Amino acid sequence: MGYFLTVIAGFCSDALAGVGLHGVFSLAGIFFLGIPVVMKISVYALAIAQRAGVPPEIAFIFAIIAAIAVGIIFAYLFVKVSPDSFAVLGLASLLACESLLQSWDSVTNGILGISGIRRPELFSSLPSLVIIYVLAVAVFFLLEWIFLQTRYGRLVRAYKQNEIVLQALGHSSSRIGQLLIIAASFVYGVVGILMAWRIQFVDPSIAGIPYLIEIVTIGVLALNPRVSSLAAATFFVAVFPEVLRFFNLPTAIMGYARVLLYSIFLMVIIGKLLPKLSISNRST
């Protein structure tokens, strides 16, 4: 039963992360690769606050504020550099953030991480936490479905398809991109907090490059502006690693094989979907 609940929690975590990336990457075409940085900052804000004696509920608020603050920084950089530079900057910030977390022993406890993260009393057990996961997925999926039906959802799709026409209609494309990055950062703050509550331990390796590969895979598979496409892509990414259990691979290489297969699959999918995959053509 515990394994089954863990798989459900993993699926829900990927689904929430997919919601964050679907709008900013799949629909708007913004290569926001600073996702892991937002998650790392949010989970460490949660863990550090709890270690200082702050109740889990208040620590949750601190973590969300930290995630939004990081999103605002990325949103500011988004309009200051080119799209390609923004993608590279997001990936470089991941390496810089990991180095900072590993070396700042007095605050982050270095490579040893921070253990003993407490969950709120309302969902202190794994089954109750899974219920929260499911409810969060249902709420965020519903909100995205509603968003896609509105004129703002159409503006986001127009941002990727024809930014010049969008500007001619009197809409600021830069402002739309910034709001999407901040909204995605909020979602990833929630994802990181729920992940930290589930494993009750954080270290600098949490939400690293392997995790980024998984989430980008969801973003590439869910290019269509439909919630059903996002759900299908999430299901594939969540189930695909479980399929590896049927292969007689040595446990010593299982983790590496998972990352390798994800990487190969992602390259194949990008090659197949390259005509549909485009990024913003901002000149500044």
Side-chain angles (χ1 to χ4, degrees), residues 194-259:
L194 291 177
M195 182 184 297
W197 279 344
R198 176 163 60 91
I199 62 179
Q200 297 184 293
F201 172 79
V202 297
D203 68 356
S205 65
I206 191 171
I209 290 181
Y211 183 78
L212 180 61
I213 292 174
E214 293 182 19
I215 304 308
V216 170
T217 303
I218 295 177
V220 172
L221 292 176
L223 286 176
N224 291 328
R226 296 193 298 268
V227 175
S228 58
S229 299
L230 175 59
T234 303
F235 179 78
F236 175 84
V237 170
V239 172
F240 185 66
E242 303 303 320
V243 176
L244 296 178
R245 296 180 183 274
F246 295 97
F247 294 90
N248 190 22
L249 296 175
T251 56
I253 67 170
M254 176 63 75
Y256 301 103
R258 175 182 174 179
V259 176

Side-chain angles (χ1 to χ4, degrees), residues 35-264:
I35 296 164
V37 177
V38 177
M39 293 182 62
K40 286 177 185 292
I41 297 300
S42 65
V43 298
Y44 265 93
L46 179 80
I48 293 170
Q50 287 199 12
R51 191 169 65 169
V54 176
E57 296 81 1
I58 305 301
F60 172 87
I61 297 175
F62 288 161
I64 290 296
I65 293 174
I68 294 176
V70 176
I72 291 174
I73 294 174
F74 275 113
Y76 172 78
L77 295 174
F78 174 70
V79 298
K80 296 297 182 181
V81 299
S82 67
D84 293 336
S85 298
F86 182 71
V88 174
L89 185 64
L91 194 58
S93 66
L94 169 59
L95 302 178
C97 184
E98 284 191 1
S99 300
L100 176 63
L101 295 176
Q102 290 174 358
S103 59
W104 201 0
D105 293 345
S106 60
V107 176
T108 65
N109 203 30
I111 61 174
L112 299 179
I114 301 175
S115 60
I117 298 176
R118 304 187 311 277
R119 301 169 183 165
E121 292 294 333
L122 183 61
F123 39 92
S124 57
S125 63
L126 180 58
S128 59
L129 183 63
V130 170
I131 292 175
I132 296 298
Y133 260 117
V134 173
L135 291 176
V137 170
V139 169
F140 277 99
F141 268 51
L142 177 61
L143 290 176
E144 181 172 11
W145 181 82
I146 294 174
F147 173 76
L148 291 175
Q149 311 308 313
T150 64
R151 62 184 296 268
Y152 300 104
R154 293 190 289 272
L155 288 177
V156 169
R157 295 198 295 273
Y159 179 90
K160 177 180 178 180
Q161 295 171 0
N162 198 323
E163 186 179 356
I164 296 177
V165 172
L166 185 64
Q167 292 175 339
L169 293 175
H171 300 285
S172 173
S173 59
S174 298
R175 180 61 59 84
I176 292 175
Q178 288 181 311
L179 292 177
L180 285 172
I181 292 172
I182 295 173
S185 298
F186 168 76
V187 175
Y188 282 105
V190 174
V191 174
I193 292 167
L194 291 177
M195 182 184 297
W197 279 344
R198 176 163 60 91
I199 62 179
Q200 297 184 293
F201 172 79
V202 297
D203 68 356
S205 65
I206 191 171
I209 290 181
Y211 183 78
L212 180 61
I213 292 174
E214 293 182 19
I215 304 308
V216 170
T217 303
I218 295 177
V220 172
L221 292 176
L223 286 176
N224 291 328
R226 296 193 298 268
V227 175
S228 58
S229 299
L230 175 59
T234 303
F235 179 78
F236 175 84
V237 170
V239 172
F240 185 66
E242 303 303 320
V243 176
L244 296 178
R245 296 180 183 274
F246 295 97
F247 294 90
N248 190 22
L249 296 175
T251 56
I253 67 170
M254 176 63 75
Y256 301 103
R258 175 182 174 179
V259 176
L260 179 61
L261 289 175
Y262 263 122
S263 303
I264 294 175

